[in-house]
Amino acid sequence: MRQILCFGDSNTWGLSPETQDRFPWGVRWTSLLQEKVKWEEIRILEEGLCGRTTVFEDPYRENRNGLKSLPVILETHYPIDGVVLMLGTNDCKAFYKTNAYQIAKGLERCIDVLLKDVPAERILIVAPLHLGELVWKPEYDPKFDKSSVETSKQLYAEYQKITEKKNIRLLAASDYAKPSEIDQEHLNEEGHKALADAIFQSLREMGIL
């Protein structure tokens, strides 16, 4: 059985913008991806974690540094036949005081870890959603600020520089979905379906599915 690792943050975990709980199986994009493939041949490994970053340490929650957890996850699920990695949203939080270039450099470090176990042609990087224009307001998520929104919009261009250098496929989640108006940050049910469709098509084109 082939295994595809889906490594990301709350939008990979499947956080519902309405309830703040996890979307059930059959709604979150990772489960929809599993249902699109043959169960007996391919296993989708759901490894999303709320608050996960590329390389930054969350001052309020432990174990959110993706670079540190990735080697353990790769070893846990060995062997890995393909990877979908979507990170960067949490890196835009104001207290990290970072920019799109620095976030992309963090992503590159995660990619370098992946390349020790997985060939470049079997890795799909997904540039995350653009944050909603009002996400920084108190009623949404004040861990972000106005500049966070602009940084999220700049991630794709910076990620493209990294993925072109590494000969890795890149997909923009913002081409297929927008954050829910409820929280300005997370995918709603329609967004999960659209992203699952886009990722499925990319993985088929890459020959992983």
Side-chain angles (χ1 to χ4, degrees):
M1 176 179 285
R2 287 176 288 162
Q3 298 194 115
I4 299 174
L5 172 66
C6 296
F7 186 77
D9 53 30
S10 52
N11 271 321
T12 297
W13 185 77
L15 188 144
S16 165
E18 186 170 10
T19 67
Q20 299 297 296
D21 203 347
R22 192 180 194 184
F23 275 128
W25 185 271
V27 176
R28 57 186 186 265
W29 71 261
T30 47
S31 68
L32 293 174
L33 187 60
Q34 178 69 80
E35 292 180 349
K36 287 175 177 292
V37 301
K38 295 181 178 180
W39 283 81
E40 66 271 18
E41 295 181 2
I42 299 173
R43 181 185 178 199
I44 302 299
L45 305 171
E46 297 183 288
E47 284 290 352
L49 178 67
C50 298
R52 178 176 280 150
T53 68
T54 57
V55 298
F56 299 104
E57 298 288 349
D58 190 318
Y60 306 107
R61 291 187 290 182
E62 296 181 350
N63 305 315
R64 264 51 189 185
N65 184 323
L67 182 66
K68 287 187 175 179
S69 60
L70 192 51
V72 176
I73 289 172
L74 287 169
E75 186 173 354
T76 298
H77 294 297
Y78 181 87
I80 300 294
D81 300 287
V83 176
V84 179
L85 188 151
M86 181 169 66
L87 286 175
T89 297
N90 292 298
D91 304 53
C92 297
K93 290 175 180 174
F95 51 69
Y96 290 125
K97 296 181 173 61
T98 190
N99 57 45
Y101 170 81
Q102 293 167 331
I103 295 170
K105 295 302 289 183
L107 177 81
E108 184 174 20
R109 294 195 66 192
C110 292
I111 289 173
D112 286 340
V113 171
L114 291 176
L115 289 172
K116 295 177 182 178
D117 293 293
V118 185
E121 62 270 19
R122 304 192 75 78
I123 298 172
L124 173 64
I125 299 299
V126 182
L129 298 175
H130 296 165
L131 289 164
E133 297 293 336
L134 304 177
V135 68
W136 50 273
K137 288 195 169 186
E139 61 266 36
Y140 298 119
D141 194 343
K143 292 188 292 296
F144 297 101
D145 60 16
K146 291 182 180 180
S147 67
S148 301
V149 178
E150 294 308 309
T151 298
S152 73
K153 294 177 181 179
Q154 296 163 7
L155 289 179
Y156 179 82
E158 294 296 334
Y159 282 15
Q160 190 173 36
K161 296 174 186 177
I162 302 297
T163 53
E164 286 181 354
K165 180 172 65 174
K166 304 282 187 181
N167 294 312
I168 288 174
R169 179 110 173 205
L170 175 64
L171 176 75
S174 58
D175 285 348
Y176 303 93
K178 297 179 180 180
S180 168
E181 293 185 3
I182 295 173
D183 73 352
Q184 303 281 307
E185 185 177 354
H186 294 98
L187 292 162
N188 58 19
E189 292 190 29
E190 292 77 15
H192 275 275
K193 183 179 185 304
L195 187 59
D197 290 343
I199 291 175
F200 176 75
Q201 183 61 33
S202 289
L203 293 176
R204 286 193 67 180
E205 292 171 0
M206 294 166 67
I208 297 175
L209 300 181

